[in-house]
Amino acid sequence: MSLDALITDGQAWFAAALPNHGIYALMAFAFIAGLARGFSGFGAALIFIPLGGAIIGPKLVSPILLVIDGIATLGMIPPAWRGANRPEVFVMAAGAALGVPAGTAMLALLDPTLLRWNITIIATALLALLVSGWRYHGAPSAPLSSGVGLIAGLFSGAAQLGGPPVVAYWLGGKSDFTRVRANVVLYFSISSVFSAISYYIGGLFVPAVFALTAVILPSYAVGLYGGSKLFGLAEERTFRIACYVLIAAAAIIGMPLLDSVLR
């Protein structure tokens, strides 16, 4: 086969794999989600999953976020490795190794509409947990850390929503926000490997995932870079409030009842 024929076939495959609506909206949502992720170390899924799921469904949007986040955050891993409490992160990741496959099974097997309602409920509950200010203030222990990792892994496998339980657990300790952010970034770099393996086994990496990744990744990366820069400039409380508002809006607009808003 000639090079021209290969290029033509590749273009045809790429066009066929893309959805026929919502591309620009997905790019905008990815930028906002990347902004939150770059600043705080988490929050991308709470914004992107409900909104993106309303356009292309949860079985596509979760693998897409996994891939774009995994690629775009590679540069955040070395400083996170240096700044994190690695023993705590590894213990929590051990729990995630059990939770992620169970969550992935839910993503692969549940009805998409039912799964989206579950995502909306979970995202709202996790937002309420963050906004309430509740934090675990006891001393970290290996059984408790692995238990939090198990729950976070379950949420990550099902919808990439594992951030809030992890953050609520670590923010209550004596570590400052910089250490917590490093812990979160390193933890999710590890749990993402578990998710990638589980998604592959579950057959969730369909062609549309990679076609949409190529389109959405630049927007997410730009947002991630901007959020990382804001981390050193913006006031933490102000940005947290903005993230909470965005997450709440995403959870509401992403409900199946409001699909007409995004389509």
Side-chain angles (χ1 to χ4, degrees):
M1 183 179 292
S2 67
L3 178 59
D4 289 342
L6 285 173
I7 293 174
T8 301
D9 288 346
Q11 291 173 337
W13 171 88
F14 187 78
L18 291 175
N20 56 15
H21 68 282
I23 297 294
Y24 295 114
L26 288 170
M27 292 170 65
F29 300 152
F31 172 78
I32 297 170
L35 200 66
R37 174 82 157 95
F39 180 85
S40 64
F42 75 101
L46 286 166
I47 295 170
F48 189 69
I49 295 296
L51 294 176
I55 297 175
I56 57 176
K59 293 184 181 181
L60 272 182
V61 76
S62 292
I64 287 169
L65 181 61
L66 174 67
V67 175
I68 64 174
D69 187 74
I71 295 172
T73 59
L74 286 174
M76 298 172 67
I77 295 175
W81 176 267
R82 293 190 295 269
N85 184 325
R86 292 193 290 273
E88 285 187 17
V89 172
F90 294 153
V91 169
M92 187 173 288
L98 299 176
V100 166
T104 302
M106 294 173 57
L107 176 61
L109 299 175
L110 285 182
D111 173 76
T113 301
L114 176 61
L115 183 60
R116 283 182 56 205
W117 275 117
N118 287 334
I119 288 171
T120 297
I121 293 169
I122 292 171
T124 303
L126 294 177
L127 174 61
L129 174 68
L130 293 174
V131 173
S132 71
W134 182 88
R135 301 289 184 262
Y136 172 74
H137 293 287
S141 65
L144 188 56
S145 295
S146 61
V148 172
L150 177 67
I151 295 171
L154 183 67
F155 290 168
S156 290
Q160 297 300 300
L161 290 172
V166 174
V167 172
Y169 178 67
W170 269 326
L171 278 181
K174 297 180 180 180
S175 299
D176 60 19
F177 185 66
T178 302
R179 172 59 65 86
V180 169
R181 181 175 179 271
N183 283 356
V184 170
V185 170
L186 182 59
Y187 164 78
F188 279 109
S189 69
I190 298 172
S191 69
S192 292
V193 175
F194 303 149
S195 293
I197 295 170
S198 296
Y199 282 14
Y200 176 78
I201 294 172
L204 295 170
F205 286 130
V206 297
V209 169
F210 301 104
L212 281 166
T213 292
V215 174
I216 297 170
L217 177 59
S219 297
Y220 187 77
V222 170
L224 192 74
Y225 178 79
S228 298
K229 292 299 181 182
L230 285 174
F231 179 68
L233 300 175
E235 189 174 321
E236 178 183 335
R237 182 175 179 275
T238 301
F239 199 90
R240 279 175 181 262
I241 293 173
C243 286
Y244 294 158
V245 171
L246 289 170
I247 292 167
I252 293 170
I253 297 173
M255 292 191 299
L257 282 176
L258 299 178
D259 280 357
S260 59
V261 175
L262 298 176
R263 294 183 177 178

